[in-house]
Amino acid sequence: MFIKTLTKNLPIFSNWQTILVTFILEPFFSVLFFYLISPYTNKEKLLLTAIVLTTIYKVMSVYSQIFVHAQNIDILKLIFINKRGFLLFNLTAYSIAILVAMIQSGILIALYSVFNITIQIGLQQLVIITALTIIYTIIISAIVVITFIGAQNPYFGSNLLSGLLPIISATVVPISFYPDWLALISRVLPFWLIQTAVWSGNVNATAIIVYIAVYATILYTVFTYRRKKF
C-alpha cells in the first residue's frame, strides 16, 4: 500500500508541465546537443551514447525521487527493516525508473530519426550494452542515494554524479582518447565499460565481473550501515 501511495505522488508524475519537460524537452535538447556536438563525430555512436547517458540519468533521478519521497512521508524504516522489504521496495522503484527511462529513450530514437540517423548494431552488442547499463546504474545509483538519504540535501550525491557523468563516462569520445589522468578518474566508476562497448564493441568480461563484485560489496556495506541507523 505504501508503495502505491508513494508512486502516485512522485514529482515526475505530479503535473503536465513536469511530464512535458521529462518526455519532450529533455529528449529534444539531448538530441540537439549530441547532434550538433561535432560534424566529424560518428553520429550513430553518439546516438547510442546519448541513449545510454539518458537512461543512466533518468533511472538515477527517478530512483532518487522515490527514496526522498519515502523519507518525506516517513516510511524509510519500513524499507530498511529487513532485506526482503528493501528488495521489494527497490524492485518497484527500479521498475518505475527503468520504464520512464525506456519511454524517454524511445522518444530520443524517434527524434533522431528526423535527422535520418539509424543504428546499425548486432543483437549481442545491444544485449551487452543494455545489460551493463541496467546493472551498473542500479548498483551505483543505490549506493549514491542510500548514502545520502537522511542528509540535509539527499539529492547531493545523485546530482553530483549526474553532473560528472558526461565526462567520466567517456560519452562524447572513447576513453582511449582521454589523457591518462582523466582516464584514471573515469575508470573509478564502471560506466566507461558501457561506452567502450558502444564505441568499439570490445567487452572485457573480467573487468565487468570485478566492477560488479566490488560495487555490490560496497552496496551491501552501505545498506547494512544505513539499516542500523533505522
Side-chain angles (χ1 to χ4, degrees):
M1 180 62 69
F2 68 83
I3 293 177
K4 182 179 180 181
T5 302
L6 177 65
T7 54
K8 285 174 62 178
N9 293 281
L10 277 178
I12 196 170
F13 302 125
S14 60
N15 54 62
W16 68 267
Q17 293 98 329
T18 306
I19 294 173
L20 176 67
V21 170
T22 301
F23 296 113
I24 302 297
L25 295 183
E26 285 183 4
F28 173 77
F29 284 108
S30 177
V31 167
L32 190 64
F33 171 77
F34 280 97
Y35 184 78
L36 298 176
I37 196 169
S38 171
Y40 307 108
T41 304
N42 187 315
K43 303 295 185 184
E44 179 185 335
K45 299 299 184 183
L46 279 179
L47 169 55
L48 283 171
T49 57
I51 293 172
V52 169
L53 194 63
T54 297
T55 300
I56 296 171
Y57 274 149
K58 193 48 59 182
V59 170
M60 189 177 304
S61 172
V62 175
Y63 180 78
S64 180
Q65 287 180 24
I66 291 174
F67 258 86
V68 172
H69 190 62
Q71 174 182 301
N72 292 340
I73 62 177
D74 198 26
I75 62 171
L76 286 180
K77 186 174 182 179
L78 294 175
I79 297 169
F80 285 93
I81 197 168
N82 58 61
K83 294 178 182 179
R84 185 177 180 276
F86 179 77
L87 292 174
L88 177 61
F89 182 86
N90 274 271
L91 177 62
T92 304
Y94 278 121
S95 295
I96 296 168
I98 291 172
L99 176 61
V100 173
M102 287 175 60
I103 295 172
Q104 208 176 55
S105 296
I107 295 171
L108 271 176
I109 295 172
L111 289 173
Y112 261 101
S113 67
V114 175
F115 297 101
N116 296 318
I117 300 174
T118 57
I119 303 176
Q120 301 295 328
I121 184 172
L123 178 60
Q124 182 179 355
Q125 186 182 6
L126 177 62
V127 170
I128 291 172
I129 292 169
T130 302
L132 291 181
T133 300
I134 293 174
I135 292 170
Y136 286 142
T137 303
I138 285 175
I139 296 175
I140 299 299
S141 59
I143 292 172
V144 171
V145 171
I146 294 171
T147 298
F148 287 92
I149 198 68
Q152 186 174 3
N153 179 8
Y155 289 112
F156 176 79
S158 56
N159 287 344
L160 177 63
L161 184 56
S162 295
L164 294 174
L165 270 176
I167 298 175
I168 63 175
S169 64
T171 297
V172 178
V173 294
I175 198 169
S176 57
F177 285 80
Y178 277 19
D180 292 340
W181 66 271
L182 184 54
L184 181 62
I185 295 173
S186 298
R187 286 190 171 94
V188 172
L189 292 173
F191 296 116
W192 66 274
L193 286 169
I194 305 172
Q195 302 299 357
T196 298
V198 170
W199 286 101
S200 66
N202 294 332
V203 177
N204 188 329
T206 301
I208 289 171
I209 294 171
V210 168
Y211 273 104
I212 291 175
V214 168
Y215 279 99
T217 302
I218 294 173
L219 175 56
Y220 181 79
T221 303
V222 170
F223 164 74
T224 303
Y225 173 76
R226 297 302 297 174
R227 184 182 177 188
K228 291 178 180 179
K229 292 291 185 179
F230 294 104

